[in-house]
Amino acid sequence: MGKSCSMSSASATASGPWPLPPAIRASALVHIAALGAGALVPGAVPWAIGAVVLNHALITGAGLTPRSSLLGPNVTCLPEAAGARREVAITIDDGPEPEVTPRVLDLLDAYGQRATFFCIAERVLAHPALAREMVARGHSIQNHTARHRHNFSFLGPRGFANEIARAQDILAETIGQRPTCFRAPAGLRNPFLEPVLHRLGLSLVSWTRRGFDTREGNPAKVMARLTRNLQARDILLLHDGNAARTPEGNPVLLEVLPLLLERLRADGLSAVTLPEGLKP
């Protein structure tokens, strides 16, 4: 696995105060230095303002980069132990979706593979029997917020806490298991997210590669994105909710998943849930 693979997952096991990420500490120092220079050094105000603007641009860019770890721990692949076990993680977002998810479960069962579903809690509330079936069939349900708000990355600490904690409560009550992993809508966030995850005992999880299957209806293109340099430890991202449709009108996931499962079998790889794959 290359340099871009990150296995930092401090949130799930953290205790005590939130450990300030180095990028946030550096940002605070930039602001302090800019304030001091602007007040004490003649002619430094434009430079101080420029430094603060650049700093904010970098922080914003990190929040808009789903696999970045600048704002805090971010799991982008499974640990080395999973590589030794020849494991990958298939993660499926935005469900449960009654038209699609049961067929996904049948495909996974047919190949003897397991997946992690990052579910929208209000959809779980609307389809509790389906959510419980997903868990009963050996899969994992994790936290993908309560409502999947499009403005999620603009929320502050209270907004993040409300969305994520409410999802935790709904999922725990419905399926009898409290999630340990969290994925932000579209992977977008800001510096206020990580302290909330730390307090709730959640690890931020992104992905190694994705199929862009919410907008790409060509199964071959989705499959190519998912399997280019496919290897053990990969975390793959697909969608059962909000899935794009093929020209024939089928959710693209249902055509890609059998091909992906065949590829895993041919490569001697095993798809496991995130809680299984993240074990050291």
Side-chain angles (χ1 to χ4, degrees), residues 9 15 22 27 30 43 54 70 75 79 81 93 105 126 150 159 172 196 201 235 252 257 265 267 272:
S9 56
S15 59
S27 177
V30 167
L54 177 61
L70 285 178
V75 178
D93 287 13
L105 297 179
H150 294 299
V196 174
I235 299 175
V252 70
L257 190 56
R265 176 182 287 175
D267 289 356
V272 298

Side-chain angles (χ1 to χ4, degrees), residues 27 30-31 49-63 191:
S27 177
V30 167
H31 282 74
I49 293 173
V52 170
V53 169
L54 177 61
N55 174 257
H56 279 261
L58 292 173
I59 294 296
T60 300

Side-chain angles (χ1 to χ4, degrees), residues 131-152:
R132 286 191 283 267
E133 181 183 358
M134 293 157 71
V135 173
R137 290 168 75 163
H139 307 291
S140 175
I141 288 180
Q142 299 295 330
N143 191 325
H144 198 38
T145 74
R147 291 179 289 167
H148 203 274
R149 295 173 55 164
H150 294 299
N151 67 341
F152 180 82

Side-chain angles (χ1 to χ4, degrees), residues 26 33 37 46 64 81 87 95 101 110 113-114 178 191 193 195 197 199 246 278:
L64 296 175
E87 294 173 348
T101 309
Q113 305 282 30
R114 299 291 175 261
R178 202 161 191 85
L193 176 62
L197 297 182
R199 188 168 68 251
T246 66
L278 292 173

Side-chain angles (χ1 to χ4, degrees), residues 109 146 150 155 214 241 246:
D109 279 355
H150 294 299
L155 298 179
T214 57
T246 66

